């Protein structure tokens, strides 16, 4: 399994921006992803990217507002979140090892999560 550490969460007003980072202990040829989980809801995929290429997946709810990117040399995954909405409020998790666009159960490595809160 890969060790993952997220940073960058916080509180912003609607319309604001945040950038999440996830440093991995290893960066192989697999998909890295961001998931989120709001209180009382199932963990959902937000975006994912293939480390060895350019394949990128976005959930419909964030497409056009969020951007996933990576720095392979630094083994770091990013999520730039713009035009944030209150419904984006959740704990955001970095994950590795599953298929791009897959469900949370298909990933075998997880970070500890970082809270993102968007106020109206």
């Amino acid at each position: 399994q890969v060790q993952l550490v997220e940073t960058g969460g916080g509180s912003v007003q609607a319309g604001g921006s945040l950038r999440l980072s996830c440093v991995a202990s290893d960066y192989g040829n697999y998909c890295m992803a961001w998931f989120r989980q709001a209180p009382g809801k199932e963990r959902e995929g937000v975006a994912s990217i293939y480390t060895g290429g350019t394949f990128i997946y976005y959930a419909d709810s964030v497409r056009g507002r969020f951007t996933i990117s990576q720095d392979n040399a630094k083994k770091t995954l990013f999520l730039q979140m713009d035009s944030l909405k209150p419904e984006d409020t959740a704990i955001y998790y970095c994950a590795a090892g599953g298929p791009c666009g897959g469900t949370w159960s298909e990933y075998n490595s997880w970070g500890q999560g970082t809270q993102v809160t968007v106020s109206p």
Side-chain angles (χ1 to χ4, degrees):
Q1 289 189 346
V2 180
Q3 305 302 314
L4 303 168
V5 179
E6 306 104 330
T7 57
S11 298
V12 295
Q13 290 188 324
S17 298
L18 284 173
R19 190 190 196 206
L20 306 182
S21 298
C22 171
V23 179
S25 61
D26 188 25
Y27 223 69
N29 288 322
Y30 42 70
C31 285
M32 298 284 293
W34 290 100
F35 285 78
R36 67 185 181 186
Q37 189 165 20
K41 294 188 176 182
E42 189 172 337
R43 193 170 297 189
E44 63 172 350
V46 174
S48 52
I49 186 168
Y50 180 59
T51 60
T54 58
F55 180 81
I56 292 176
Y57 162 85
Y58 290 105
D60 290 342
S61 58
V62 306
R63 187 175 293 112
R65 300 188 298 120
F66 291 10
T67 303
I68 190 170
S69 62
Q70 60 190 348
D71 184 333
N72 293 56
K74 296 183 178 179
K75 301 178 184 178
T76 302
L77 182 72
F78 303 101
L79 185 68
Q80 177 66 40
M81 304 185 293
D82 299 317
S83 302
L84 282 161
K85 304 175 181 180
E87 52 263 43
D88 295 318
T89 295
I91 299 174
Y92 283 71
Y93 297 90
C94 176
C100 286
T103 63
W104 65 268
S105 62
E106 297 177 283
Y107 282 76
N108 56 18
S109 298
W110 292 89
Q112 81 285 358
T114 185
Q115 177 70 45
V116 171
T117 302
V118 184
S119 58

